[in-house]
Amino acid sequence: TLALRGYISEEELKTFDQFESRLQAHPDMTKLDALDMSTGSLGQGLSAAVGMAIGAKRLKKDFHVYCLIGDGESQEGQVWEAANIAEKYKLDNLIVIMDQNGLQQYGWKNGHDRMNPESNGRRKFASFGFETWEVDGHSIEDLVAVLDEVKGRRNGQPKAIIANTTKGKGVRFMENNYVWHSKAPNDEEYITALTELEEGD
């Protein structure tokens, strides 16, 4: 997105996550002027989004604030503290989109004693006073349709869209396999993945 908007070159994208690159896995606003905040700690995004939505309301600015979160990071209490504030201040200009794939970075899905990711984001957000929708997160058409509906609803309630997804969808060796959360494919895997994705179109 930064390259498409002209903030960085497309050539610089090739340096992503490499030593001394400005493009690290967690964005750093001291390295990239286009960023409004540095991120990295799980769960902090919704707090920042709530602050922006409150600011917009107080300044009487008519825009929406969008926040993308994962079901895994939603185990962080900060997410629900922010959700509570969103309802308190009637932030109907706030739209949260949760990627609900049921699989965290380090697994923990089957038979592990660690807590699973948030399994019913829609129920949880509704309990915090959000209007909620649920969509197929792999369907751009469905996402656009629900976003068009959500944007027009200024009724005092913050909004949450639960996007049900499959981690690694479309690539057989990646689907529902947590090791691909932050692993780069080798040359052979890369070609296989591209081929499978093209066949799935």
Coordinates of all heavy atoms in Angstrom, one line a residue, residues 58-96:
R58 N -15.1 14.6 18.2 CA -14.9 15.9 18.9 C -14.6 17.0 18.0 O -15.0 18.1 18.2 CB -13.9 15.7 20.0 CG -14.3 14.8 21.1 CD -13.5 14.9 22.4 NE -14.2 14.1 23.4 CZ -13.6 13.8 24.5 NH1 -12.4 14.3 24.8 NH2 -14.2 13.1 25.4
L59 N -13.9 16.7 16.9 CA -13.6 17.7 15.9 C -14.7 17.9 14.9 O -14.5 18.6 13.9 CB -12.2 17.4 15.3 CG -11.0 17.5 16.2 CD1 -9.8 16.9 15.5 CD2 -10.8 18.9 16.7
K60 N -15.7 17.1 15.0 CA -16.9 17.1 14.1 C -16.4 16.8 12.6 O -16.8 17.4 11.7 CB -17.6 18.4 14.1 CG -18.2 18.7 15.5 CD -19.1 19.8 15.5 CE -19.7 20.2 16.8 NZ -19.8 19.2 17.9
K61 N -15.5 15.8 12.5 CA -15.0 15.3 11.2 C -15.8 14.1 10.8 O -16.0 13.2 11.6 CB -13.5 14.9 11.3 CG -12.6 16.1 11.7 CD -12.4 17.1 10.6 CE -11.4 18.1 11.0 NZ -11.2 19.1 10.0
D62 N -16.2 14.1 9.6 CA -17.1 13.0 9.1 C -16.3 12.0 8.3 O -16.2 12.0 7.1 CB -18.2 13.6 8.2 CG -19.2 12.5 7.9 OD1 -19.4 11.5 8.6 OD2 -19.9 12.7 6.8
F63 N -15.6 11.1 9.1 CA -14.9 10.0 8.4 C -15.0 8.8 9.3 O -15.3 8.9 10.5 CB -13.5 10.3 8.1 CG -12.6 10.7 9.3 CD1 -12.0 9.7 10.0 CD2 -12.3 12.0 9.6 CE1 -11.2 9.9 11.1 CE2 -11.5 12.3 10.7 CZ -10.9 11.2 11.4
H64 N -14.7 7.6 8.7 CA -14.7 6.4 9.5 C -13.3 6.0 9.8 O -12.3 6.2 9.1 CB -15.3 5.2 8.7 CG -16.8 5.4 8.5 ND1 -17.4 6.1 7.5 CD2 -17.8 4.9 9.2 CE1 -18.7 6.1 7.6 NE2 -19.0 5.4 8.7
V65 N -13.1 5.3 10.9 CA -11.8 4.7 11.3 C -12.0 3.2 11.2 O -12.9 2.6 11.8 CB -11.5 5.1 12.8 CG1 -10.2 4.5 13.2 CG2 -11.4 6.6 12.9
Y66 N -11.0 2.6 10.5 CA -11.1 1.1 10.3 C -9.9 0.5 11.1 O -8.8 1.0 11.1 CB -10.9 0.8 8.8 CG -12.0 1.3 8.0 CD1 -12.0 2.6 7.5 CD2 -13.1 0.5 7.6 CE1 -13.0 3.1 6.7 CE2 -14.1 1.0 6.9 CZ -14.1 2.3 6.4 OH -15.1 2.7 5.6
C67 N -10.2 -0.6 11.8 CA -9.2 -1.3 12.5 C -9.3 -2.8 12.2 O -10.3 -3.4 12.4 CB -9.4 -1.1 14.0 SG -8.2 -1.9 15.1
L68 N -8.2 -3.4 11.7 CA -8.1 -4.8 11.4 C -7.4 -5.5 12.6 O -6.4 -5.1 13.1 CB -7.2 -5.1 10.2 CG -7.7 -4.4 8.9 CD1 -6.7 -4.6 7.8 CD2 -9.1 -4.8 8.5
I69 N -8.1 -6.5 13.1 CA -7.5 -7.3 14.3 C -7.6 -8.8 14.0 O -8.4 -9.2 13.1 CB -8.2 -6.9 15.6 CG1 -9.6 -7.4 15.6 CG2 -8.1 -5.4 15.9 CD1 -10.3 -7.2 17.0
G70 N -6.9 -9.6 14.7 CA -6.9 -11.0 14.6 C -7.6 -11.6 15.8 O -7.7 -11.0 16.9
D71 N -8.1 -12.8 15.6 CA -8.7 -13.5 16.7 C -7.7 -13.9 17.8 O -8.0 -13.9 19.0 CB -9.5 -14.7 16.2 CG -8.8 -15.7 15.4 OD1 -7.6 -15.5 15.1 OD2 -9.3 -16.7 15.0
G72 N -6.5 -14.2 17.4 CA -5.5 -14.6 18.4 C -5.1 -13.4 19.3 O -5.1 -13.5 20.5
E73 N -4.9 -12.2 18.7 CA -4.5 -11.0 19.5 C -5.7 -10.6 20.4 O -5.5 -9.8 21.3 CB -4.1 -9.9 18.6 CG -5.1 -9.2 17.9 CD -4.6 -8.0 17.1 OE1 -4.1 -7.1 17.8 OE2 -4.8 -8.0 15.9
S74 N -6.9 -11.1 20.1 CA -8.1 -10.6 20.8 C -8.1 -11.3 22.2 O -9.1 -11.1 22.9 CB -9.3 -10.9 20.0 OG -9.3 -10.1 18.9
Q75 N -7.2 -12.1 22.5 CA -7.0 -12.6 23.9 C -6.4 -11.5 24.8 O -6.5 -11.7 26.0 CB -6.2 -13.9 23.9 CG -6.8 -15.0 23.2 CD -5.9 -16.2 23.2 OE1 -5.6 -16.8 24.3 NE2 -5.4 -16.6 22.1
E76 N -5.9 -10.5 24.2 CA -5.3 -9.4 25.0 C -6.5 -8.6 25.6 O -7.4 -8.1 24.9 CB -4.5 -8.5 24.1 CG -3.2 -9.1 23.5 CD -2.1 -9.2 24.6 OE1 -2.3 -8.6 25.7 OE2 -1.1 -9.8 24.3
G77 N -6.4 -8.3 26.9 CA -7.4 -7.5 27.6 C -7.6 -6.1 27.0 O -8.7 -5.5 27.1
Q78 N -6.5 -5.6 26.5 CA -6.5 -4.2 25.9 C -7.6 -4.1 24.8 O -8.2 -3.1 24.7 CB -5.2 -3.8 25.4 CG -5.1 -2.4 24.8 CD -3.7 -2.1 24.4 OE1 -2.7 -2.8 24.6 NE2 -3.5 -0.9 23.8
V79 N -7.8 -5.2 24.0 CA -8.8 -5.1 23.0 C -10.2 -4.9 23.6 O -10.9 -4.0 23.1 CB -8.8 -6.5 22.2 CG1 -10.0 -6.6 21.3 CG2 -7.5 -6.6 21.4
W80 N -10.5 -5.5 24.7 CA -11.8 -5.4 25.2 C -12.0 -4.2 26.1 O -13.1 -3.7 26.2 CB -12.2 -6.7 25.9 CG -12.0 -7.9 25.0 CD1 -11.0 -8.8 25.0 CD2 -12.7 -8.1 23.8 NE1 -11.1 -9.6 23.9 CE2 -12.1 -9.2 23.1 CE3 -13.8 -7.4 23.2 CZ2 -12.6 -9.7 21.9 CZ3 -14.3 -7.9 21.9 CH2 -13.7 -9.0 21.3
E81 N -10.9 -3.7 26.6 CA -11.0 -2.4 27.3 C -11.3 -1.3 26.3 O -12.1 -0.4 26.5 CB -9.7 -2.1 28.0 CG -9.4 -3.0 29.2 CD -8.0 -2.8 29.7 OE1 -7.2 -2.0 29.2 OE2 -7.6 -3.5 30.7
A82 N -10.7 -1.4 25.1 CA -10.9 -0.4 24.0 C -12.4 -0.6 23.5 O -13.1 0.4 23.2 CB -9.9 -0.6 22.9
A83 N -12.8 -1.8 23.4 CA -14.2 -2.1 22.9 C -15.2 -1.5 23.9 O -16.2 -0.9 23.4 CB -14.4 -3.6 22.7
N84 N -14.9 -1.6 25.1 CA -15.8 -1.0 26.2 C -15.9 0.5 26.0 O -17.0 1.1 26.1 CB -15.3 -1.4 27.5 CG -16.3 -1.1 28.6 OD1 -17.5 -1.3 28.5 ND2 -15.8 -0.5 29.7
I85 N -14.8 1.2 25.8 CA -14.8 2.6 25.6 C -15.5 3.0 24.3 O -16.2 4.0 24.2 CB -13.3 3.1 25.6 CG1 -12.6 2.9 26.9 CG2 -13.2 4.6 25.1 CD1 -13.3 3.7 28.1
A86 N -15.3 2.2 23.2 CA -16.0 2.5 22.0 C -17.5 2.6 22.1 O -18.2 3.4 21.6 CB -15.6 1.5 20.9
E87 N -18.0 1.6 22.9 CA -19.5 1.6 23.2 C -19.9 2.8 24.0 O -20.9 3.5 23.8 CB -19.9 0.3 23.8 CG -21.4 0.0 23.9 CD -22.0 0.6 25.1 OE1 -21.4 0.9 26.1 OE2 -23.3 0.9 25.0
K88 N -19.1 3.1 25.1 CA -19.4 4.2 26.0 C -19.5 5.5 25.2 O -20.4 6.3 25.5 CB -18.3 4.3 27.0 CG -18.4 5.5 28.0 CD -17.3 5.6 29.0 CE -17.4 6.8 29.8 NZ -16.3 6.9 30.8
Y89 N -18.6 5.8 24.3 CA -18.6 7.0 23.5 C -19.4 7.0 22.2 O -19.3 7.9 21.4 CB -17.2 7.5 23.3 CG -16.5 8.0 24.6 CD1 -15.6 7.2 25.2 CD2 -16.9 9.2 25.1 CE1 -15.0 7.7 26.4 CE2 -16.3 9.7 26.3 CZ -15.4 8.9 26.9 OH -14.8 9.3 28.1
K90 N -20.2 5.9 22.0 CA -21.1 5.7 20.9 C -20.3 6.0 19.6 O -20.8 6.8 18.7 CB -22.3 6.7 21.0 CG -23.0 6.5 22.3 CD -24.3 7.3 22.4 CE -25.0 7.2 23.7 NZ -25.1 5.9 24.3
L91 N -19.2 5.3 19.4 CA -18.4 5.5 18.2 C -18.9 4.8 17.0 O -18.3 3.8 16.5 CB -16.9 5.1 18.5 CG -16.3 5.8 19.7 CD1 -14.9 5.4 19.9 CD2 -16.3 7.4 19.5
D92 N -20.0 5.3 16.4 CA -20.5 4.7 15.2 C -19.7 5.0 14.0 O -20.0 4.6 12.9 CB -22.0 5.1 15.0 CG -22.2 6.6 15.0 OD1 -21.2 7.3 15.0 OD2 -23.4 7.0 15.0
N93 N -18.6 5.7 14.1 CA -17.6 6.0 13.1 C -16.5 5.0 13.1 O -15.5 5.1 12.3 CB -17.1 7.4 13.1 CG -16.4 7.7 14.4 OD1 -16.6 7.1 15.4 ND2 -15.7 8.8 14.5
L94 N -16.5 4.0 14.0 CA -15.5 3.0 14.2 C -16.0 1.7 13.6 O -17.0 1.2 13.9 CB -15.2 2.8 15.6 CG -14.2 1.7 16.0 CD1 -12.8 2.0 15.4 CD2 -14.1 1.5 17.5
I95 N -15.1 1.1 12.7 CA -15.4 -0.2 12.1 C -14.3 -1.1 12.3 O -13.2 -0.9 11.8 CB -15.7 0.0 10.5 CG1 -16.9 0.9 10.3 CG2 -16.0 -1.4 9.9 CD1 -17.1 1.2 8.8
V96 N -14.5 -2.2 13.1 CA -13.5 -3.2 13.4 C -13.7 -4.4 12.4 O -14.9 -4.8 12.3 CB -13.6 -3.7 14.8 CG1 -12.6 -4.8 15.1 CG2 -13.4 -2.5 15.8

